[in-house]
Amino acid sequence: MSMRSTRALFVLLASALPILAIGGEAPAPGIDPVRLQAHVEFLASDLLEGRAAGSRGYDIAARYVASQLQQLGAKPAGDEGTWYQTVPLLEAAPVIPAGKVKLERGGKTVEMVNSEDFLPRAFFAAPASTVTAPLVYVGHAIHAPELGYDDFAGVDLKGRIAVSLSGAPPKFPNTSRAHYSHTSTKLQALVERGAVGWLFIYTPVDEKSVPWDRSLLHSWMPSMRWTDGNGVPFEAFEQVKVRVHLSRAGAQKLFAGAPLTVEQAFANSDAGRAKSFALPGTATVEVKSTIGRTTSTNVVGSIEGSDPKLRHEYVVFTAHLDHVGRGAPVKGDAIYNGAMDNATGIAIMLEMARYFASLERRPRRSLVFLAVTAEEKGLLGADYYARQPTVPRSAIVANINVDMPVALTELADLVAFGAEHSSLGAIAERATRAEGMTLIPDPMPEEVVFVRSDQYAFVKQGIPALYMDVGSKSRTPGVDGQKVMLGFLREHYHMPSDDTTQPINYPSLAALGRVNARIGLEVADADARPHWNKGDFFGERFAKK
């Protein structure tokens, strides 16, 4: 650890908590930028080796978070009165060189080139899996009857390998687009229709966000699923025995001789036209995986509410503690530190907890502070907690999530993912305005952010949730906040360079923390719990269950 980190940690333990005021508003939540920096510099240090779920570095980070919660006065709220909820995990990693894709057409064999045309994905049920079957192109693999859209109309997938595009048609409303883009939604649809394999192709929009060389760099990453008491993995979708990511070159080979080229398939997607068809010939797909079991932990602390009745209801704050660990070296650096993703979010959550613990009068409802594991593996820690919480699930009134706020400049606006779905939206608007900032719509709806972070696990349990993030406007003259954000995503997201050498703007992170604290305080003190808006897509789909 550097001397800089040591000094910051000393300040973290010794400095007083400032209480700020803004104009005529009530005192703002005291979130200290120096404390935030100290948390980030420790959590994103090389000592923790990227905090991969199940690793020693992650365990050190979890102990750090628990000790901070204990120091500020929270109480343990994990398993059996501890700070931790154990999450049993099944881990599978693809053996990349062993993957094979072979096409048989008109008596000719076409061997696809591993790592150029395709990348195999791990299979959880067996170390080796092979499927030989006909191929069917099914658009985005989406059945959305409420939108009059069905990629599966007129085709039979039983015993066949599905070929599909990532994402969802751009014409879909943002909410539907987010839900139907989710991998688990697609896989469930494929399983229901009897598919035995899945070859998927990134659309040009998704390929721009994650180009092939980035996919190749990350292909070493193992996948995980949480397991139940019998060791059975949840949502492993084992009926789909082979899964392969095709490059643009691989897709062009696959579509050779088909009714449409892959470029025409992209155009149909852009136009929102479902056009599915059988592809010529059959494919033999082989994948090999290394499979093992491990455990990781969610860290859970609580602050009891002050109201004799409402203290039995809970506002849950979340931030994911894990990152992706060690990986392929980039410019000689193999540690993927995860400073922005998501040491910053954990730092904000800890300082919100410190603020709430410092209040002379505690909020009426109780508060849970949940640092979750395995977000990078598919929101696993959050999903495990949302399905098996350490407090009564029916008593959880809201989830407020913090994930990867890319604060590299002085913020002028924020985005409230999920604001349009529930009464939390109006609360977010008030909290943002109280900090002298504005709330803007999602500037990048094509990224379907709302289903890509931990609040979605709570949404699927019918719990209103909100994910506050930085916006696109900077207060710094001459700085384009959107350009800064896109530059980070292009150059540093899930790369070793997401470290503390980035020019992190800690005052902006503190402002985001104050907004989240204001939201949490209003939710915790309100007479009524938050509610889904009438007719909301997620409320109708999940809350009524």
Side-chain angles (χ1 to χ4, degrees):
M1 189 186 303
S2 69
M3 287 299 294
R4 181 185 176 197
S5 298
T6 304
R7 285 196 300 271
L9 283 170
F10 176 79
V11 173
L12 171 67
L13 297 173
S15 64
L17 181 67
I19 302 295
L20 308 176
I22 298 181
E25 298 283 345
I31 306 292
D32 186 352
V34 177
R35 289 183 183 274
L36 292 175
Q37 181 176 356
H39 291 308
V40 171
E41 290 196 355
F42 178 75
L43 292 169
S45 68
D46 283 358
L47 173 69
L48 273 62
E49 298 183 323
R51 308 187 310 278
S55 71
R56 180 176 180 273
Y58 179 89
D59 291 344
I60 294 171
R63 186 68 191 97
Y64 176 83
V65 170
S67 69
Q68 291 298 309
L69 289 171
Q70 183 176 17
Q71 182 242 12
L72 59 85
K75 301 299 182 184
D79 296 335
E80 299 177 352
T82 71
W83 291 101
Y84 308 104
Q85 180 188 44
T86 299
V87 182
L89 297 166
L90 186 67
E91 182 177 75
V95 182
I96 299 296
K100 295 179 181 180
V101 177
K102 182 172 62 175
L103 305 177
E104 299 284 351
R105 288 173 172 165
K108 295 182 179 180
T109 300
V110 177
E111 294 269 3
M112 288 202 174
V113 181
N114 190 316
S115 300
E116 292 183 12
D117 295 333
F118 73 94
L119 285 168
R121 292 292 176 90
F123 183 54
F124 286 89
S129 182
T130 302
V131 168
T132 299
L135 298 153
V136 180
Y137 171 69
V138 288
H140 290 277
I142 290 172
H143 174 54
E146 74 281 6
L147 298 175
Y149 184 94
D150 187 6
D151 280 323
F152 303 107
V155 295
D156 180 10
L157 269 183
K158 189 172 183 180
R160 290 165 167 79
I161 297 171
V163 179
S164 80
L165 306 180
S166 63
K171 76 168 188 177
F172 273 27
N174 289 351
T175 298
S176 302
R177 188 176 184 181
H179 172 72
Y180 287 113
S181 293
H182 202 273
T183 298
S184 65
T185 306
K186 292 176 184 281
L187 279 167
Q188 183 63 47
L190 296 180
V191 167
E192 290 172 355
R193 289 159 179 81
V196 294
W198 185 30
L199 310 182
F200 58 90
I201 306 154
Y202 279 7
T203 64
V205 169
D206 288 341
E207 191 176 30
K208 185 176 180 181
S209 297
V210 185
W212 183 254
D213 60 351
R214 184 74 63 90
S215 295
L216 185 60
L217 183 68
H218 292 160
S219 60
W220 54 270
M221 291 183 183
S223 299
M224 288 181 170
R225 296 291 183 270
W226 64 260
T227 61
D228 64 16
N230 296 317
V232 177
F234 182 73
E235 287 193 342
F237 301 108
E238 294 175 359
Q239 300 92 329
V240 182
K241 300 179 183 300
V242 292
R243 303 168 201 177
V244 170
H245 178 189
L246 294 178
S247 68
R248 180 71 66 88
Q252 289 169 340
K253 289 182 180 179
L254 192 72
F255 276 72
L260 297 178
T261 66
V262 69
E263 286 75 18
Q264 289 171 327
F266 292 149
N268 275 350
S269 165
D270 290 340
R273 293 193 301 266
K275 185 175 177 61
S276 301
F277 49 84
L279 287 156
T282 62
T284 298
V285 183
E286 298 180 33
V287 297
K288 292 187 178 181
S289 309
T290 58
I291 303 171
R293 295 185 183 273
T294 187
T295 60
S296 191
T297 55
N298 293 327
V299 186
V300 198
S302 68
I303 294 175
E304 187 177 44
S306 59
D307 186 282
K309 182 178 180 181
L310 293 182
R311 71 175 49 155
H312 301 294
E313 296 183 349
Y314 301 86
V315 181
V316 177
F317 296 88
T318 49
H320 75 87
L321 181 57
D322 67 306
H323 195 53
V324 299
R326 285 183 170 273
V330 179
K331 298 180 180 178
D333 187 358
I335 297 177
Y336 290 61
N337 302 82
M340 214 77 72
D341 186 16
N342 182 40
T344 54
I346 289 290
I348 288 172
M349 188 182 74
L350 287 173
E351 290 310 298
M352 284 194 293
R354 188 182 303 277
Y355 158 70
F356 285 117
S358 74
L359 293 176
E360 186 173 342
R361 183 194 69 79
R362 298 285 176 85
R364 296 170 69 194
R365 288 183 174 83
S366 296
L367 311 175
V368 171
F369 298 91
L370 175 64
V372 294
T373 188
E375 187 270 355
E376 302 289 4
K377 305 301 182 183
L379 319 184
L380 302 186
D383 191 66
Y384 190 83
Y385 186 90
R387 293 175 185 274
Q388 304 177 70
T390 57
V391 300
R393 185 166 55 192
S394 61
I396 300 175
V397 305
N399 168 240
I400 301 169
N401 185 44
V402 191
D403 184 8
M404 201 178 81
V406 183
L408 297 172
T409 183
E410 188 178 1
L411 301 176
D413 52 23
L414 299 175
V415 181
F417 295 105
E420 68 273 29
H421 301 302
S422 74
S423 58
L424 292 173
I427 299 173
E429 178 70 42
R430 288 191 288 272
T432 304
R433 189 168 57 246
E435 286 297 326
M437 305 170 80
T438 57
L439 208 57
I440 64 170
D442 182 357
M444 296 185 290
E446 70 278 2
E447 295 287 337
V448 294
V449 170
F450 191 61
V451 302
R452 292 174 53 191
S453 194
D454 292 307
Q455 75 288 331
Y456 191 54
F458 289 85
V459 169
K460 290 195 294 184
Q461 299 308 309
I463 298 167
L466 198 65
Y467 164 26
M468 298 298 298
D469 200 2
V470 301
S472 58
K473 187 176 181 181
S474 172
R475 285 194 171 104
T476 306
V479 174
D480 183 337
Q482 182 79 345
K483 185 176 181 180
V484 170
M485 165 77 81
L486 293 174
F488 173 85
L489 294 175
R490 183 176 59 253
E491 302 294 335
H492 306 293
Y493 173 65
H494 280 194
M495 299 290 279
S497 55
D498 177 13
D499 59 20
T500 54
T501 64
Q502 294 291 309
I504 301 172
N505 190 299
Y506 289 100
S508 286
L509 290 180
L512 177 60
R514 290 195 296 271
V515 170
N516 277 291
R518 288 180 185 274
I519 295 168
L521 186 59
E522 183 169 342
V523 173
D525 276 345
D527 290 335
R529 58 168 62 192
H531 60 83
W532 293 99
N533 294 334
K534 186 177 180 180
D536 179 75
F537 177 89
F538 290 118
E540 294 290 316
R541 185 168 294 266
F542 297 121
K544 288 190 174 181
K545 293 181 181 179

